[in-house]
Amino acid sequence: MSATVIAFDFGLRHIGTAIGLRLTGQARPLMALKACDGVPNWQQLATLLHTWQPETLVVGLPLNMDGSEQPLTQSARQFASTLQTHCALPVRLHDERLSTVEARARLFEQGGYRALSKSQVDNLAATIILESWLALPPLPAPS
């Protein structure tokens, strides 16, 4: 069984992606997928999944700082549901609060304003989401 996990930083126009390994708990950015109203090119996404063969997918769940839902939250839930239908893989939602803020800060530190391209921010946010998810204790196996 593969220990590979792919995470998504959902957005209406761009969806950042990252890949990581359960064994190491480390993640790295992959590529940004263009989206139209939150709908990615499913063929491009299928190619990504075929290439990396993940065991689990993680979708960042955008929440307000107080934990309440925001308008984008339901769209992210719908993306996760459709992703599970398309891919027949387990899809986990994970709190993504402050991931974009942290991504922007890391990129700015590395290269100033020029490093803040939308795709780099989205992909690094997906990486931060995945690192946070990988740091959680594993869920018990279903009985």
Side-chain angles (χ1 to χ4, degrees):
M1 177 190 268
S2 170
T4 303
V5 181
I6 292 182
F8 299 90
D9 177 41
F10 176 79
L12 296 176
R13 293 183 292 161
H14 300 95
I15 300 171
T17 64
I19 189 164
L21 296 173
R22 284 184 188 267
L23 184 64
T24 64
Q26 295 179 330
R28 68 177 177 84
L30 281 176
M31 61 186 285
L33 304 170
K34 289 199 182 297
C36 181
D37 237 5
V39 178
N41 174 328
W42 289 107
Q43 185 57 48
Q44 185 182 25
L45 199 147
T47 300
L48 180 78
L49 298 179
H50 178 75
T51 300
W52 294 102
Q53 300 288 306
E55 70 169 7
T56 304
L57 306 175
V58 176
V59 175
L61 188 63
L63 298 169
N64 292 316
M65 288 308 295
D66 65 2
S68 63
E69 295 198 358
Q70 56 178 282
L72 195 58
T73 306
Q74 190 55 41
S75 297
R77 287 184 191 281
Q78 180 61 47
F79 170 71
S81 176
T82 306
L83 187 60
Q84 188 154 16
T85 301
H86 267 86
C87 306
L89 290 169
V91 176
R92 308 287 183 242
L93 292 168
H94 186 68
D95 184 347
E96 70 166 38
R97 280 179 276 186
L98 297 178
S99 62
T100 299
V101 172
E102 184 177 340
R104 287 181 189 279
R106 282 191 201 178
L107 288 169
F108 183 80
E109 188 177 293
Q110 293 171 0
Y113 286 108
R114 283 182 274 191
L116 296 177
S117 77
K118 180 70 175 139
S119 62
Q120 284 185 308
V121 170
D122 292 338
N123 291 337
L124 187 53
T127 304
I128 292 164
I129 291 164
L130 185 50
E131 288 170 344
S132 172
W133 187 83
L134 289 168
L136 296 173
L139 294 172
S143 35

